[in-house]
Amino acid sequence: MSQLIRLQDIQATHRDLIGDDYYDPTGKTAYGVDEDKIGKIEGALVEDTTGRIRYLIVDAGGWFSSKEVLVPAGLARIVGDDVFFDSLTKSQVDAMEVYDHDYQYSYKEQHEKDRKAFVADTIPTEERMEIKDTAYDAPNTLELLEERLTVNKDRIVAGLVKVGKHVVTEERNVDVDLEEEHANIERTNVDRPTDRRIGDADVNGNETIEVELEAERARVGKETYVAEEVSVGKTTERHTETVAETIQREELDIDRDGNVVDNQGKRVDRDDISAEDVRRARGM
């Protein structure tokens, strides 16, 4: 019966057997159905006979105050630093046993527990699922990510135009033709008899004659007229602006000869290591 051992134990004691490039999901953020955040990946359990990751240790602190469970590795979809369990629900996790760090798990025993946990009576009927053998195969699809620039436009106040008016005072001269009357006295010698005596008043009883002299005076008034109309509008001009930004992308590293390579891309010769050597080094 194959046993399940923690990945960190192999890394700590037998790194020379698994190399430095062994996949380790520890610390990645875990998401459940509908991309609901569960918590994070606390580690992985590896089958001792094959060295394959069979289970991910998931801290479901996002759904429960404190609970670690074993989730079949084949249910995971890895994208960058995130691990998505697209079909894993809160009810399913609630039905699972709490992971025991001190317990020696076996692949077969845990496989049987999974079959019961995912169809437990506490799980709604629509969320129950039969666990297939492929659910224990670690993801073999690596998604390469790249950043792409997205440019949006914001409208800002680039300028402000104020149009007002003020009063300007100036003097204007206007020529006006005016008329005025002046006294014109004409004396005519007359030789005719009269009944009046010297000192008597005239026939109207007046001794003096008054004549009113008239003159025109300029009367200045002001009227307001609309001299000019000013309309303020806006026109839109387009121009192209170049925005520079640094982006990243992931590229695939492949050893085309099928060899094991280290972090520097150098081939590591492991032809002398057998499966029995691995089990012996692990104390199995």
Side-chain angles (χ1 to χ4, degrees), residues 248-260:
Q248 297 177 327
R249 71 171 182 272
E250 298 175 340
E251 294 186 350
L252 184 64
D253 296 326
I254 302 176
D255 176 27
R256 300 186 182 279
D257 295 329
N259 300 313
V260 179

Side-chain angles (χ1 to χ4, degrees), residues 19-279:
D20 294 330
D21 294 330
Y22 200 87
Y23 175 73
D24 185 0
T26 304
K28 296 184 181 297
T29 304
Y31 298 88
V33 65
D34 297 329
E35 298 187 1
D36 188 12
K37 185 176 181 180
I38 302 175
K40 63 179 181 178
I41 305 298
E42 291 294 341
L45 294 186
V46 180
E47 188 179 9
D48 64 338
T49 57
T50 62
R52 294 182 177 179
I53 296 178
R54 296 301 187 185
Y55 287 92
L56 298 182
I57 305 172
V58 180
D59 179 1
W63 282 348
F64 304 94
S65 58
S66 178
K67 184 175 184 179
E68 291 184 352
V69 296
L70 295 178
V71 180
L75 299 180
R77 177 172 58 89
I78 300 173
V79 181
D81 291 331
D82 299 323
V83 179
F84 295 89
F85 299 96
D86 297 321
S87 61
L88 188 64
T89 67
K90 185 176 181 180
S91 298
Q92 293 171 350
V93 174
D94 190 29
M96 297 177 182
E97 293 184 356
V98 177
Y99 170 67
D100 186 351
H101 289 260
D102 299 323
Y103 184 75
Q104 180 60 63
Y105 289 88
S106 69
Y107 184 22
K108 182 178 180 180
E109 178 188 12
Q110 188 60 31
H111 187 277
E112 292 300 323
K113 290 181 180 180
D114 294 339
R115 292 182 180 275
K116 296 178 181 179
F118 278 89
V119 294
D121 294 338
T122 57
I123 300 176
T125 304
E126 65 275 9
E127 297 181 10
R128 297 176 188 176
M129 58 182 294
E130 294 291 337
I131 297 298
K132 300 179 181 179
D133 293 338
T134 55
Y136 299 93
D137 296 332
N140 57 5
T141 300
L142 179 63
E143 297 187 4
L144 301 180
L145 307 180
E146 71 173 8
E147 296 176 335
R148 296 183 178 180
L149 291 180
T150 58
V151 180
N152 295 318
K153 297 186 293 184
D154 296 323
R155 297 195 67 87
I156 63 173
V157 177
L160 182 63
V161 177
K162 291 184 177 180
V163 178
K165 59 182 181 178
H166 64 280
V167 177
V168 177
T169 301
E170 63 179 353
E171 290 195 7
R172 290 285 183 89
N173 296 322
V174 179
D175 294 333
V176 181
D177 293 331
L178 300 177
E179 294 181 353
E180 63 179 359
E181 297 177 338
H182 295 275
N184 184 21
I185 301 174
E186 294 183 1
R187 299 178 68 177
T188 304
N189 293 323
V190 179
D191 184 11
R192 65 172 177 267
T194 179
D195 295 335
R196 291 191 301 115
R197 294 180 181 274
I198 297 175
D200 292 341
D202 61 11
V203 294
N204 295 321
N206 297 325
E207 294 185 356
T208 59
I209 297 175
E210 294 182 355
V211 178
E212 290 184 353
L213 301 178
E214 294 183 352
E216 293 179 338
R217 295 288 183 266
R219 185 177 66 250
V220 180
K222 295 186 289 185
E223 295 181 356
T224 302
Y225 289 81
V226 178
E228 185 180 357
E229 291 184 345
V230 178
S231 298
V232 179
K234 297 187 296 183
T235 60
T236 301
E237 296 182 357
R238 295 183 180 273
H239 68 279
T240 301
E241 182 175 336
T242 301
V243 180
E245 185 57 76
T246 302
I247 61 175
Q248 297 177 327
R249 71 171 182 272
E250 298 175 340
E251 294 186 350
L252 184 64
D253 296 326
I254 302 176
D255 176 27
R256 300 186 182 279
D257 295 329
N259 300 313
V260 179
V261 295
D262 59 16
N263 287 337
Q264 287 73 39
K266 298 179 180 179
R267 190 178 72 178
V268 179
D269 187 5
R270 302 191 184 278
D271 293 338
D272 58 334
I273 300 176
S274 64
E276 184 61 32
D277 294 330
V278 176
R279 287 193 292 272

